[in-house]
Amino acid sequence: MERKIRVLIAKPGLDGHDRGAKVVARALRDAGFEVIYTGLHQTPEQIVSTAVQEDVDAIGLSCLSGAHMTLFPRVVELLRERGADDIIVSGGGIVPEEDVPKLKTAGIAAVFGPGTPLKDIVEFHKKALRKR
Amino acid sequence: MEIVERLLKGDAGAAARLISMAEDEDPRAVKALSALHAHTGKAQIIGVTGPPGAGKSTVIDQAVKVYRKKGCKVGILAIDPTSPFTGGAILGDRIRMQQHSTDPGVFIRSMGTRGWTGGLSKGTASAIKILDALGMDPIIVETVGAGQSEVEIVRSAHSVLIVEVPGLGDDIQAFKAGILEIGDVFVVNKADREGADKAVAELRAMLETCQEPRAWAPPVLKASARDGAGIGEVVDALDSHFAFIKQSGAKDLKDRASAEREFMEVLRDRLAKYITEKVVRKGEFDALVERILRRQLDPYSAAEKLLEPIEKGK
């Protein structure tokens, strides 16, 4: 039995900058992960519902619009409501330094800002296996 | 089993987890699947195939709208290729279907081929059963973007929809064996583009001249899935096809063949496992492989030697 790690890469909110999300998706693919990519303009409800149907181990959120303080914690909250809060959630995009501790308190396991080596993101997700 | 009970009550999370376990060949999945078997065999299974970029996912997205209006619950399995080098995959079919992601009457699952050829994935057959037991009907299976010979879907599906687009080639392409032989319904998508009528005419000519007369004449339709034009007719044609095979007895034959194939596969798996784990002494298998590799032994005689005690004993 080989346990494959599945990661959902999602873009909540209204910005159209998906370059970063695609680069991360590609890096995870090349590291042997199954990456589910949902495209732009996703609501937190869509993201969580997708994560449940796809039974992912982790969710990577990318937001460059500045709405991360609303959208990222909302995803964690909805996961909790669905009983799926063992899914590890990380975030990336333009997130000011002072927001990072607040996001971590809200349940975002890691924040990957601009310039983060792809290797770090890959290593982070290698440990993201959910208990079955 | 708790997960089976949850699934039979309609819990999408339980179905999702069971699909993962089946894909990963978790031994617990076998138990669950055997408990589910009695609850399957109800749904119409529709295969959707065609070349990459033809619009398979978009056609499905629009077809789901039509099915939902009729009150059907729809299961979708969308298969994309796994890298043969890293084992990784980008599963992106559901991008086109995200409008249905929060609808509790729609279950979408993306799957990587994980080394399988023929257009399907390792866990597809199990995933179909799981969605069937969840109460989804129809279950739509989107194959990987197909070339000419990814025809495996015909064995799993009751009805096969082929999505084509204008301008892919001349009428000789339509004459070739393979994928075009397995279609029950054809749709030329992106019909607002130039050459749509020509593509329809060529497909019709192929169907009229190249096959022995069949009781079911596959319709060739036109659609523009981006705005949903023509998709209602595609769903109607799939409905008619299903009614037709039920009435003609073809569905029973198909179902029987797939039950037989499934049983054979399980037997073969179990037998291979039994032999490599119980019959062969530790290290003996590797030693035999080594001798086969060095041409000191051939694989046929090696198998014969291994199986001799079993054949004699019982």
Side-chain angles (χ1 to χ4, degrees):
Chain A
M1 157 177 155
E2 189 207 358
R3 182 74 195 272
K4 186 85 77 180
I5 301 180
R6 290 165 64 86
V7 183
L8 172 64
I9 298 294
K11 276 202 59 70
L14 297 176
D15 75 89
H17 307 284
D18 59 355
R19 177 97 185 133
K22 281 178 174 158
V23 169
V24 169
R26 174 67 200 266
L28 291 172
R29 183 200 94 176
D30 289 342
F33 296 80
E34 280 186 355
V35 183
I36 294 96
Y37 186 67
T38 56
L40 299 170
H41 308 146
Q42 300 291 300
T43 64
E45 285 77 8
Q46 283 179 309
I47 291 168
V48 168
S49 180
T50 300
V52 169
Q53 288 176 7
E54 298 286 354
D55 191 31
V56 294
D57 298 289
I59 303 175
L61 299 170
S62 165
C63 177
L64 289 88
S65 70
H68 51 271
M69 290 307 288
T70 313
L71 295 168
F72 290 5
R74 180 74 185 137
V75 168
V76 176
E77 198 182 305
L78 289 168
L79 284 173
R80 210 171 287 141
E81 278 172 25
R82 296 283 297 259
D85 46 337
D86 54 333
I87 297 177
I88 292 169
V89 183
S90 68
I94 304 301
V95 176
E97 202 64 49
E98 62 267 28
D99 289 348
V100 174
K102 291 180 214 156
L103 285 174
K104 289 203 167 158
T105 316
I108 308 300
V111 176
F112 301 109
T116 307
L118 287 168
K119 203 173 88 234
D120 293 1
I121 301 175
V122 167
E123 286 305 316
F124 174 83
H125 283 96
K126 277 186 182 162
K127 295 181 219 116
L129 216 53
R130 274 170 101 187
K131 208 173 146 237
R132 276 187 193 162
Chain B
M1 282 174 92
E2 191 233 342
I3 193 163
V4 172
E5 277 164 34
R6 276 170 47 214
L7 186 145
L8 292 174
K9 279 186 194 138
D11 181 343
R17 174 57 49 87
L18 208 48
I19 292 175
S20 310
M21 288 182 358
E23 276 195 297
D24 290 343
E25 293 179 327
D26 188 317
R28 288 171 292 177
V30 175
K31 271 200 172 152
L33 282 168
S34 70
L36 286 181
H37 184 77
H39 302 274
T40 60
K42 296 169 290 188
Q44 179 188 10
I45 299 156
I46 299 169
V48 178
T49 189
K56 296 183 290 299
S57 306
T58 313
V59 166
I60 292 172
D61 175 59
Q62 294 288 347
V64 170
K65 271 195 196 165
V66 178
Y67 281 117
R68 290 299 289 148
K69 274 203 191 114
K70 300 203 295 179
C72 304
K73 291 164 93 181
V74 191
I76 298 149
L77 299 169
I79 300 155
D80 265 330
T82 297
S83 160
F85 303 109
T86 66
I90 299 274
L91 310 176
D93 286 327
R94 67 178 298 146
I95 294 180
R96 316 274 172 229
M97 311 175 197
Q98 276 304 83
Q99 62 170 317
H100 304 293
S101 59
T102 56
D103 178 349
V106 179
F107 185 103
I108 308 169
R109 178 64 175 241
S110 317
M111 305 178 88
T113 52
R114 299 200 187 178
W116 267 49
T117 53
L120 299 184
S121 82
K122 201 169 78 175
T124 306
S126 305
I128 289 173
K129 280 192 152 189
I130 292 163
L131 293 188
D132 195 345
L134 185 66
M136 299 290 144
D137 182 14
I139 295 165
I140 304 176
V141 182
E142 177 181 347
T143 72
V144 300
Q148 294 175 316
S149 65
E150 283 86 349
V151 295
E152 207 46 47
I153 184 66
V154 76
R155 297 188 213 282
S156 304
H158 294 120
S159 314
V160 175
L161 170 68
I162 307 238
V163 182
E164 285 279 342
V165 279
L168 278 187
D170 60 9
D171 55 343
I172 299 304
Q173 294 303 330
F175 274 130
K176 289 182 181 172
I179 194 159
L180 294 180
E181 289 177 291
I182 66 167
D184 299 306
V185 177
F186 289 79
V187 59
V188 173
N189 189 33
K190 308 189 188 184
D192 49 319
R193 292 196 183 168
E194 204 188 312
D197 290 322
K198 187 164 165 271
V200 169
E202 280 167 0
L203 283 169
R204 285 203 177 126
M206 178 275 293
L207 290 164
E208 276 158 23
T209 58
C210 265
Q211 285 169 352
E212 26 185 296
R214 292 196 292 184
W216 171 262
V220 181
L221 306 166
K222 273 200 296 187
S224 185
R226 195 171 47 183
D227 53 18
I231 301 296
E233 287 79 357
V234 171
V235 171
D236 287 345
L238 289 166
D239 285 349
S240 309
H241 179 256
F242 196 51
F244 170 79
I245 62 167
K246 275 201 278 197
Q247 203 226 335
S248 71
K251 177 179 179 289
D252 293 339
L253 291 177
K254 264 179 190 245
D255 288 344
R256 200 196 156 75
S258 59
E260 186 180 323
R261 204 178 43 254
E262 187 190 6
F263 184 37
M264 268 316 264
E265 268 167 30
V266 172
L267 271 179
R268 207 175 287 140
D269 271 11
R270 287 292 300 269
L271 204 59
K273 224 173 151 189
Y274 175 77
I275 288 165
T276 48
E277 282 171 11
K278 298 277 160 64
V279 177
V280 191
R281 284 189 307 276
K282 216 174 165 13
E284 194 185 343
F285 187 82
D286 291 337
L288 286 172
V289 172
E290 188 66 31
R291 289 184 59 203
I292 292 165
L293 178 69
R294 291 180 189 283
R295 301 295 186 273
Q296 294 160 348
L297 185 67
D298 67 274
Y300 311 99
S301 314
E304 194 125 326
K305 226 163 84 182
L306 269 183
L307 295 179
E308 214 179 4
I310 306 179
E311 282 170 348
K312 270 190 186 155
K314 285 177 190 151

